[in-house]
């Protein structure tokens, strides 16, 4: 292996100060508080972080390359593996991008169902974030409580589509299955209970002295810097910038729903924590409205593409019983879909999740680029970490709410 | 947005190859006038670099592209709520582009990923190394002439070494 270039080394280690004795340690990739396979090369002076360089790519599966050899419909389950904590949002984001490309409009019930499961997934994702973040800082109780509620949401997912994590429930043109009335009722009953639970978490943390000392004034990033680093989602809103894809580019059922976008002020860990907690409340509000306003009718558009991307309905072919008819070679057909390019984004649980598709008219994407929020957030980690204690680094990784599956793709 | 596009046409006319209105307003601009153009856009309020990626147009059938690669930028203006796409064609023989790291810190990793996946060099980037692939990886995976599955003799060296070692242990 070639020797890695260490740029910071010369300028840091050549100082004349005899009391300045920096040393380098490696954190990760198998470290419990790096939330996956994130590796950090740290230069420490005592306990203080002088420099920090994230190394990623341990979970790189070449999703973008893989997608180029599959049809648009086959790519959908791959998007589950991006941010595997809120797979509903990824599916919706990708389905929405392809719908916009093909000009498919999902029926209203499909839209509302999609919005509902997206918001439930957001709550589940934020619960996992709160659980691990609190555990990193030392609050074990919150960890157990949050997982208890998250389990309930995953049970709802199981009722809705049979899967808990890699759901693939939203699809191009709507959703895969209709939801039973009983499940909707159970979700509706769960909402006030969840509100109470949120109060419980806040009672444990919001005015806890240890929590305040560990989070206030740590990992501060100003609004201008947050924008320069390309942060989105709660990490940006914690700094007081009001940017939410659900409000700026409304999609699915969001234009019909009433909700607020909570923003913070100081841009530290505590503000981002408050932001996410308020966001969970808003999500519950959205789910409630979705169930109340749920229209009836079909859940998926009629012209939703098949797995092999034959968009128009197949012509009936006379054949004997049990025989399978193969008509045409779908991947070779030109002008199957309109050619051109498209950027479409949704508000994922971590931030803006964008899909950039270049189409060449065949049934396969010519290029699919995924703008993953975690990827951008990790690149801002050195800025947040410098000058803090090593112990604070753990809470800074927590506050960015990163998922390596999404970062490495 | 219409006003802005006409201003762009007037001011940067000699650099602009095409202005399109697809899903988003799209400006295709030559590399020479790129930095001034971005500077202009920043003054117009486009403060958020949402996305940066490259596309390899080798064997792209529907239209004839001028050059093989295109670097695609998505810029967003949070106060004005406008999204703009900027594209810069890059020739295979002259495979470099100006870096935006001096404007946005977010460009740092995006450009490293671009270099890793397409081999496009970014002039002015402080630390242009591979990001997702290992440092001793050969080739640039997202280029269209790079196969999805590598033949066994071309696999990554470290992996091949690991495989032979595992076979020896059996």
């Amino acid at each position: 292996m070639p020797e890695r270039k260490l740029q910071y080394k010369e300028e840091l280690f050549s100082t004349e100060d005899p009391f300045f004795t920096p040393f380098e340690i490696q954190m990760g990739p198998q470290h419990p508080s790096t939330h996956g396979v994130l590796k950090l090369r740290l230069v420490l002076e005592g306990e203080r972080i002088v420099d920090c360089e994230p190394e990623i790519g341990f979970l790189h599966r070449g999703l973008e390359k893989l997608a180029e050899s599959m049809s648009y419909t086959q790519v959908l389950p791959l998007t589950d593996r991006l941010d595997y904590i809120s797979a509903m949002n990824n599916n919706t984001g990708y389905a929405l991008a392809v719908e916009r490309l093909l000009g498919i409009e999902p029926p209203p019930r499909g839209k509302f169902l999609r919005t509902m499961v997206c918001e439930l997934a957001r709550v589940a994702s934020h619960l996992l974030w709160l659980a691990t973040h609190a555990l990193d800082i030392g609050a074990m109780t919150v960890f157990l409580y949050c997982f208890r509620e998250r389990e309930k949401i995953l049970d709802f997912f199981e009722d809705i589509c049979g899967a808990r994590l890699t759901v693939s429930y939203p699809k191009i043109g709507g959703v895969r299955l209709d939801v039973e009335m009983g499940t909707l009722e159970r979700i509706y009953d769960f909402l006030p209970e969840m509100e109470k639970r949120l109060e419980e978490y806040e009672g444990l943390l919001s005015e806890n002295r240890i929590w305040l000392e560990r989070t206030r004034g740590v990992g501060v990033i100003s609004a201008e810097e947050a924008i320069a680093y390309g942060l989105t989602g709660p990490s940006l809103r914690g700094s007081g910038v009001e940017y939410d894809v659900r409000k700026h580019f409304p999609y699915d059922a969001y234009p019909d729903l009433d909700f607020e976008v909570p923003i913070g002020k100081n841009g530290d860990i505590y503000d981002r924590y408050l932001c996410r907690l308020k966001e969970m409340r808003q999500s519950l509000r959205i789910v409630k409205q979705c169930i109340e306003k749920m229209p009836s009718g079909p859940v998926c558009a009629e012209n939703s593409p098949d797995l092999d991307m034959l968009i128009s309905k197949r012509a009936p072919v006379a054949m004997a019983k049990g025989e399978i008819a193969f008509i045409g070679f779908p991947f070779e057909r030109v002008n199957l879909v309109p050619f051109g390019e498209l950027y479409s984004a949704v508000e994922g649980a971590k931030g803006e999740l964008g899909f950039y598709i270049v189409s060449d008219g065949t049934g396969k994407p010519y290029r699919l680029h995924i703008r993953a929020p975690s990827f951008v957030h990790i690149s801002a980690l050195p800025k947040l970490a410098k000058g803090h204690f090593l112990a604070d680094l753990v809470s800074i990784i927590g506050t960015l709410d990163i998922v390596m599956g999404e970062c490495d793709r | 947005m219409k006003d802005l596009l006409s201003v762009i046409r007037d001011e940067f006319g000699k650099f602009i190859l095409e202005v399109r209105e697809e899903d988003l307003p799209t400006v295709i601009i030559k590399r020479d006038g790129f930095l001034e153009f971005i500077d202009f856009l920043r003054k117009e309020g486009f403060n958020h670099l949402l996305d940066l990626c490259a596309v390899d147009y080798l064997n792209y059938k529907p239209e004839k592209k001028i050059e093989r690669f295109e670097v695609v930028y998505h810029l967003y203006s949070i106060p004005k709520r406008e999204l703009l796409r900027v594209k810069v064609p890059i020739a295979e023989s002259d495979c470099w582009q100006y870096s935006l790291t001096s404007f946005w810190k977010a460009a740092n990793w995006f450009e490293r990923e671009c270099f890793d996946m397409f081999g496009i060099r970014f002039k002015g980037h402080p630390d242009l190394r591979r990001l997702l692939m290992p440092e001793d990886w050969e080739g640039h995976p997202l280029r269209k002439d790079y196969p999805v599955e590598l033949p066994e003799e071309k696999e990554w060296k470290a992996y091949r070494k690991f495989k032979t070692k595992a076979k020896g242990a059996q």
Side-chain angles (χ1 to χ4, degrees):
Chain A
M1 281 246 223
E3 191 60 33
R4 278 185 64 94
K5 205 167 58 179
L6 293 173
Q7 287 190 330
Y8 51 79
K9 234 176 179 171
E10 293 89 43
E11 54 185 76
L12 282 179
F13 291 82
S14 65
T15 169
E16 297 285 306
D17 185 0
F19 296 105
F20 184 69
T21 49
F23 60 98
E24 191 187 315
I25 62 163
Q26 313 276 336
M27 186 174 168
Q30 305 293 342
H31 190 281
S33 69
T34 52
H35 298 245
V37 279
L38 170 67
K39 187 183 170 193
L40 297 168
R41 304 159 66 84
L42 300 170
V43 178
L44 299 177
E45 208 266 312
E47 259 195 275
R48 224 168 259 283
I49 298 162
V50 182
D51 201 359
C52 160
E53 190 205 341
E55 245 181 71
I56 60 165
F58 292 92
L59 206 60
H60 180 60
R61 293 145 296 176
L63 251 157
E64 292 176 6
K65 184 80 179 171
L66 266 180
E68 288 172 13
S69 60
M70 290 171 157
S71 75
Y72 285 101
T73 7
Q74 284 169 334
V75 176
L76 191 89
L78 290 186
T79 58
D80 282 330
R81 276 84 184 163
L82 285 172
D83 174 3
Y84 38 79
I85 296 163
S86 66
M88 293 287 190
N89 280 305
N90 307 334
N91 293 155
T92 307
Y94 176 72
L96 202 74
V98 181
E99 276 162 17
R100 283 176 181 163
L101 180 75
L102 303 181
I104 298 172
E105 177 77 13
R109 190 175 170 89
K111 283 183 176 178
F112 271 81
L113 279 176
R114 228 153 60 169
T115 308
M116 185 188 84
V117 289
C118 275
E119 291 306 320
L120 281 175
R122 192 187 311 280
V123 175
S125 167
H126 282 0
L127 280 175
L128 188 107
W129 158 80
L130 183 62
T132 50
H133 188 34
L135 183 71
D136 287 346
I137 297 184
M140 185 79 189
T141 327
V142 183
F143 175 77
L144 296 171
Y145 281 8
C146 287
F147 265 72
R148 183 183 61 195
E149 267 73 63
R150 181 167 173 268
E151 192 64 21
K152 285 185 181 159
I153 295 178
L154 294 187
D155 281 347
F156 291 141
F157 287 168
E158 205 176 344
D159 287 352
I160 290 171
C161 65
R164 293 160 64 85
L165 274 179
T166 49
V167 283
S168 288
Y169 175 60
K171 72 177 223 180
I172 301 162
V175 292
R176 207 165 290 282
L177 298 159
D178 204 349
V179 180
E180 283 174 19
M181 204 54 213
T183 314
L184 286 183
E185 273 165 16
R186 258 176 293 146
I187 296 173
Y188 198 77
D189 293 340
F190 166 74
L191 298 174
E193 186 196 326
M194 184 67 217
E195 290 261 3
K196 259 185 235 153
R197 297 297 183 203
L198 281 176
E199 269 166 38
E200 227 174 86
Y201 308 148
E202 278 196 297
L204 280 168
L205 293 176
S206 287
E207 279 162 33
N208 185 327
R209 227 180 100 192
I210 303 169
W211 183 262
L212 288 176
E213 284 190 8
R214 291 293 303 273
T215 57
R216 269 200 189 157
V218 181
V220 184
I221 189 160
S222 70
E224 288 79 34
E225 278 173 326
I227 292 173
Y229 274 97
L231 302 188
T232 46
S235 307
L236 178 65
R237 293 196 283 272
S239 300
V241 183
E242 203 194 341
Y243 172 51
D244 189 318
V245 186
R246 291 174 296 176
K247 284 279 186 201
H248 282 219
F249 302 100
Y251 54 94
D252 279 358
Y254 288 112
D256 305 335
L257 303 171
D258 177 34
F259 65 100
E260 283 158 25
V261 178
I263 56 170
K265 212 168 99 189
N266 305 323
D268 56 3
I269 298 181
Y270 188 69
D271 272 29
R272 287 190 281 270
Y273 152 79
L274 285 183
C275 244
R276 288 204 175 92
L277 273 187
K278 282 179 197 156
E279 220 174 87
M280 279 202 259
R281 289 223 163 79
Q282 295 298 325
S283 291
L284 295 177
R285 219 175 119 195
I286 295 173
V287 175
K288 193 175 174 213
Q289 289 175 47
C290 275
I291 297 176
E292 279 166 359
K293 291 181 181 172
M294 184 72 71
S296 56
V299 292
C300 189
E302 273 190 12
N303 52 353
S304 164
D306 289 341
L307 207 59
D308 52 0
M309 285 302 289
L310 285 168
I311 288 165
S312 57
K313 280 191 175 169
R314 285 173 213 224
V317 178
M319 54 179 176
K321 211 177 175 188
E323 243 176 63
I324 304 159
F326 289 99
I327 313 159
F329 299 95
F331 289 165
E332 301 299 320
R333 285 197 351 190
V334 185
N335 298 334
L336 200 62
V337 294
F339 72 85
E341 57 204 317
L342 181 130
Y343 179 82
S344 155
V346 290
E347 183 74 21
K350 316 297 191 259
E352 169 163 344
L353 179 71
F355 289 89
Y356 174 63
I357 300 177
V358 178
S359 149
D360 63 346
T362 57
K364 295 189 262 186
Y366 186 79
R367 167 103 167 92
L368 173 71
H369 175 73
I370 301 158
R371 187 245 188 245
S374 297
F375 178 81
V376 187
H377 290 179
I378 294 174
S379 74
L381 191 63
K383 156 80 189 95
L384 291 170
K386 266 179 211 171
H388 285 299
F389 287 122
L390 179 61
D392 288 331
L393 180 66
V394 173
S395 47
I396 290 168
I397 294 171
T399 189
L400 285 176
D401 195 8
I402 53 174
V403 168
M404 293 314 286
E406 185 178 62
C407 172
D408 294 346
R409 281 158 287 161
Chain B
M1 201 68 200
K2 286 248 160 58
D3 303 341
L4 180 71
L5 286 182
S6 64
V7 173
I8 288 172
R9 272 200 199 94
D10 292 344
E11 290 224 357
F12 295 89
K14 58 182 172 177
F15 296 119
I16 286 192
L17 296 166
E18 210 180 336
V19 178
R20 284 191 196 170
E21 281 272 7
E22 288 173 336
D23 60 317
L24 300 174
T26 305
V27 179
I28 306 176
I29 189 165
K30 280 185 206 161
R31 190 172 60 195
D32 304 337
F34 176 68
L35 283 183
E36 291 118 78
F37 182 59
I38 292 293
D39 204 30
F40 166 78
L41 286 180
R42 269 175 72 91
K43 279 176 195 142
E44 285 293 316
F46 285 89
N47 54 356
H48 201 299
L49 176 71
L50 268 186
D51 191 17
L52 191 165
C53 69
V55 185
D56 180 2
Y57 281 109
L58 186 79
N59 308 328
Y60 187 70
K61 279 182 198 121
E63 32 174 353
K64 184 87 189 79
K65 292 281 173 187
I66 317 160
E67 305 289 0
R68 178 171 170 186
F69 296 108
E70 252 176 20
V71 181
V72 186
Y73 301 86
H74 287 92
L75 303 177
Y76 187 60
S77 158
I78 294 177
K80 287 198 220 158
R81 300 196 176 194
E82 279 168 352
L83 192 53
L84 179 75
R85 180 185 296 141
V86 180
K87 299 209 285 182
V88 184
I90 306 285
E92 192 187 355
S93 53
D94 190 24
C95 204
W96 64 271
Q97 158 68 328
Y98 290 110
S99 168
L100 284 187
T101 37
S102 51
F103 294 103
W104 287 284
K105 300 266 174 42
N108 186 337
W109 275 27
F110 280 136
E111 286 173 358
R112 273 178 72 182
E113 194 202 350
C114 253
F115 164 69
D116 191 356
M117 294 297 165
F118 291 92
I120 299 169
R121 305 200 72 85
F122 285 87
K123 222 174 232 184
H125 192 285
D127 182 22
L128 199 64
R129 283 182 287 126
R130 282 190 184 271
L131 183 63
L132 292 170
M133 308 304 282
E135 300 94 73
D136 54 345
W137 193 270
E138 283 164 19
H140 299 285
L142 276 179
R143 286 191 174 194
K144 282 284 170 185
D145 47 11
Y146 192 95
V148 178
E149 224 171 307
L150 282 175
E152 202 171 333
E153 66 274 10
K154 280 190 177 170
E155 273 171 354
W156 180 38
K157 271 184 217 147
Y159 179 59
R160 243 164 48 210
K161 220 161 132 191
F162 174 75
K163 259 194 353 194
T164 43
K165 209 172 156 191
K167 267 180 199 159
Q170 269 179 4

